Amino acid sequence: MFPRTEMLDLVVADGRARGVVTRDMVSGHIESHSADAVVLATGGYSNVFYLSTNAKGCNATAIWRAHRRGAYFANPCYTQIHPTCIPQHGEYQSKLTLMSESLRNDGRIWVPAAAGDARAANEIPEGERDYYLERRYPAFGNLVPRDIASRAAKAVCDGGQGVGQSGRGVYLDFADAISRLGKDAITAKYGNLFEMYERITGEDPYQIPMRIYPAPHYTMGGLWVDYNLMSTLQGLFVIGEANFSDHGANRLGASALMQGLADGYFVLPYTIGDYLSRHIGEGRLATDHSAFQRVETEVGDRLKRLLEVQGKRTVDSLHRELGNICIEFCGMSRRAAGLEQAIGEIAALREEYWQNLKLLGTGEEINQSLEKAGRVGDYFELAELMCRDALLRGESCGTHFREEHQSPEGEAVRNDEDYTHVAAWEFKGVSKEPAMHKEPLHFENLALSQRSYK
Amino acid sequence: MRLTLRVWRQRNQQAAGRFETYGISDASPDMSFLEMLDVLNEDLLAGGTDPIAFEHDCREGICGACGLMINGVAHGPERGTATCQLHLRKFQDGDSICIEPWRSRAFPVLKDLIVDRTPFDRIIQQGGFISVNTGSAPEANLIPVPKAVAEGAMDAAECIGCGACVAQCPNGAAQLFTGAKISHLALLPQGRPERAQRVLKMVRAMEDHFGSCSNFAECEAVCPKEISIDVIGRMNREFATALLIGSNESANS
């Protein structure tokens, strides 16, 4: 076990992953680790949006570095925005707290029917409330899938009906459930969630409705893997949210847990043997081999460059700005002009990062700003790929909603003829166009159809 | 809100540390405690001062990474609340707040407010897990577990390993942490095969690094998951039973 150690690059030799290079986060020491195979279980990239439900330490460096070394990145634009999170309450907001989706079993979602209605929730009579999910989707009501619920929340807030200081919030109301089932039943089911909400907002959900708003949460995109969970790089395996498999353009609750268990517990222990069996007796590559030495030097150089910029902007300010661009142009709703603008703005911001980053201290000590700086650097490149992927996919599919491809009622319209494929991207260099490889999807047992929740 | 912060600064494990005082003039009561430190850090960075290093991750009270002594109390003034869940509305305008890392010999300070909690890893490595084969799961419903027992196990399993119990204990003991893990696994059928071995090994690891328990119950008072000292009682019982009766695994246990 190597606590307080961060993987900063992958070592590839003869087309095979042979190990990783890490940085000790206490001493700053750069070290090579040689391996028979490399498994990445490093999670998703929702923190590209800065504000997400992910922990602050979550980052995409491991998979991005592997992508730069040759592992294809599939469907980066498939990012899930979870509908029930506590809304942002200030510029200093550090993350968005998830309120469990189970709340939607009993809560009713509504906004004031009139835009700009600033009355307190309990002062708005029933007749002046818009239970918009129940209205738009009578069959599923408040239980529509996450992408539908998120887009609907955004739509009503865009139309001025949003609640809370920022106008970016909708109500999740338990008044009916409490009067129907009794407070004790609600406490038994949701007591800890209600407490959590009250700790953060200071409001009591037993008395006034919860305020929620969608927030980035899970990423279906990730490194491409085959059925053995091996990436396009021999010997590099990717499991859990870090890969693109198991989930297509959408995902339901608790499936990340399923994916973690399935990939790590049921699948990989069997499938990794297939690769290892082809190399029995070969031994590992020594860490003094030039392949390791070269990567160690590159890692060290990159860290040095970051420390030497000595500009004026903090990492967090750059990360926040990147997050704003991504959520605005590549969030719940996307359109061609916006994505092109985003690609340009992200490239410019990445340049600014390399010219104007401010870091203090050295690399030979605990330096949390340096740690963050490396991760944000990778996020710039990932964000650009995410926007390119969203731009290229000219249809609305699952969580990827293109405004140019919607029905008159505002529902997603897919283009199965042209887009029934996985978009697997190959890295070609930082300022170069990546190459997209299509993996066609063949549906043998199911017929593709249109979702309807009416 | 205006606040005055006295914060422990320490360059690294070998350096001597000291308190530094910082003034905050425009904190919002809706800010979380750590967001307040984030904002302070941005100001320090802009002014050319090394920002305050502190551990955090989930910012929701479930990962156990964060942990600060706030005015001498582990995780601050609110019961059942981790540092990251504490919000400034629990303080008054003009308050003075003293912020320190966990204070325990077992947790050396690495930098500023970051401590090394590796001794907890040592305890867990000695048995804080069950051994199963990967590849297929038995049908869970075939092993009936009374609901009350399952709830008891879940209550103990809520331990996030933050170390507040150790930090607050006048003896620097880790009984609540170790007891929670042992209780969690001893209560469930899956924990039975290694039950005796586990408690003997984990308690020995615990005693290698931490002080002894004299029933202050300070730990229970500051635990962000409100774990009861019942888990300590259960651990003591499990330990005594394991010593007296032993396990089936070896004649020498």
Side-chain angles (χ1 to χ4, degrees), chain A residues 256-408:
Chain A
L257 179 62
M258 177 284 296
Q259 184 181 17
L261 291 172
D263 288 354
Y265 186 89
F266 294 106
V267 178
L268 189 67
Y270 286 121
T271 62
I272 200 169
D274 178 69
Y275 170 74
L276 294 174
S277 65
R278 290 182 252 142
H279 301 283
I280 288 178
E282 279 176 21
R284 301 178 192 170
L285 197 62
T287 53
D288 56 13
H289 186 279
S290 64
F292 281 100
Q293 294 303 310
R294 209 176 17 235
V295 176
E296 278 190 31
T297 306
E298 286 171 23
V299 167
D301 283 349
R302 183 163 184 254
L303 291 167
K304 213 151 70 73
R305 264 185 75 194
L306 289 171
L307 285 162
E308 283 169 2
V309 177
Q310 292 299 311
K312 297 218 170 45
R313 287 193 66 175
T314 64
V315 185
D316 278 357
S317 81
L318 288 159
H319 195 175
R320 262 187 221 281
E321 193 174 330
L322 174 67
N324 284 338
I325 297 171
C326 291
I327 196 69
E328 176 65 38
F329 297 113
C330 200
M332 282 181 270
S333 186
R334 300 144 176 197
R335 60 189 212 291
L339 290 165
E340 276 156 4
Q341 185 181 343
I343 291 170
E345 287 186 15
I346 292 167
L349 196 59
R350 178 166 45 79
E351 269 310 301
E352 193 187 345
Y353 160 86
W354 283 110
Q355 309 292 342
N356 202 15
L357 177 66
K358 180 172 188 160
L359 288 177
L360 299 175
T362 72
E364 281 72 51
E365 55 179 350
I366 293 179
N367 191 334
Q368 294 183 311
S369 302
L370 178 63
E371 291 163 19
K372 285 194 280 191
R375 297 167 193 169
V376 173
D378 290 333
Y379 270 140
F380 285 120
E381 296 175 22
L382 198 161
E384 214 179 295
L385 185 67
M386 188 173 76
C387 293
R388 273 188 206 281
D389 189 43
L391 185 58
L392 202 59
R393 184 168 287 274
E395 60 161 358
S396 290
C397 181
T399 59
H400 169 66
F401 188 82
R402 284 285 296 269
E403 288 168 26
E404 306 96 323
H405 303 280
Q406 56 180 303
S407 71

Side-chain angles (χ1 to χ4, degrees), chain A residues 175-311:
Chain A
D176 283 353
I178 289 172
S179 72
R180 191 178 73 239
L181 302 166
K183 187 173 172 191
D184 287 344
I186 298 296
T187 307
K189 280 203 219 181
Y190 308 117
N192 58 334
L193 296 169
F194 278 24
E195 255 179 52
M196 204 165 98
Y197 181 85
E198 184 165 6
R199 264 202 205 94
I200 291 170
T201 62
E203 292 169 13
D204 180 1
Y206 292 104
Q207 304 296 334
I208 59 178
M210 270 190 195
R211 279 174 304 112
I212 54 162
Y213 194 70
H217 178 56
Y218 179 91
T219 51
M220 286 74 73
L223 293 185
W224 187 95
V225 289
D226 62 17
Y227 284 107
N228 285 348
L229 299 178
M230 191 160 79
S231 68
T232 51
L233 265 177
Q234 290 289 303
L236 176 72
F237 293 83
V238 192
I239 58 178
E241 194 178 345
N243 72 27
F244 92 107
S245 76
D246 290 21
H247 301 102
N250 219 336
R251 156 192 118 88
L252 303 176
S255 66
L257 179 62
M258 177 284 296
Q259 184 181 17
L261 291 172
D263 288 354
Y265 186 89
F266 294 106
V267 178
L268 189 67
Y270 286 121
T271 62
I272 200 169
D274 178 69
Y275 170 74
L276 294 174
S277 65
R278 290 182 252 142
H279 301 283
I280 288 178
E282 279 176 21
R284 301 178 192 170
L285 197 62
T287 53
D288 56 13
H289 186 279
S290 64
F292 281 100
Q293 294 303 310
R294 209 176 17 235
V295 176
E296 278 190 31
T297 306
E298 286 171 23
V299 167
D301 283 349
R302 183 163 184 254
L303 291 167
K304 213 151 70 73
R305 264 185 75 194
L306 289 171
L307 285 162
E308 283 169 2
V309 177
Q310 292 299 311

Side-chain angles (χ1 to χ4, degrees), chain A residues 1 3-4 26 50 52-58 89 91-99 165 192 195-203 264-267 269-270 312 314-318 320 358-362 365-369 372, chain B residues 11 13 28 30-32 35 38-39 41-42 44-60 62 79-82 85-87 89-90 110-111 114-118 121-122 125 132-138 224 226:
Chain A
M1 216 176 71
R4 298 190 193 276
V26 178
Y50 185 75
S52 78
T53 63
N54 287 191
K56 298 295 283 174
C58 294
H89 52 69
E91 279 310 301
Y92 48 76
Q93 186 89 28
S94 57
K95 72 161 288 187
L96 297 166
T97 306
L98 184 67
M99 293 308 297
Q165 262 186 334
N192 58 334
E195 255 179 52
M196 204 165 98
Y197 181 85
E198 184 165 6
R199 264 202 205 94
I200 291 170
T201 62
E203 292 169 13
Y265 186 89
F266 294 106
V267 178
Y270 286 121
K312 297 218 170 45
T314 64
V315 185
D316 278 357
S317 81
L318 288 159
R320 262 187 221 281
K358 180 172 188 160
L359 288 177
L360 299 175
T362 72
E365 55 179 350
I366 293 179
N367 191 334
Q368 294 183 311
S369 302
K372 285 194 280 191
Chain B
R11 178 96 201 186
Q13 194 171 343
S28 154
D30 289 326
M31 267 185 181
S32 77
E35 282 168 352
D38 288 339
V39 171
N41 274 346
E42 287 288 278
L44 292 176
L45 259 169
T49 308
D50 214 28
I52 301 164
F54 63 92
E55 291 215 81
H56 60 98
D57 206 8
C58 76
R59 299 265 175 137
E60 296 185 24
I62 55 178
R79 203 179 161 90
T81 303
Q85 297 173 294
L86 184 63
H87 283 70
R89 66 179 78 89
K90 301 299 182 187
L110 291 176
K111 181 173 182 171
I114 299 180
V115 298
D116 182 358
R117 286 171 283 187
T118 311
D121 294 338
R122 302 278 167 262
Q125 280 170 320
V132 282
N133 296 322
T134 56
S136 65
E226 297 185 270

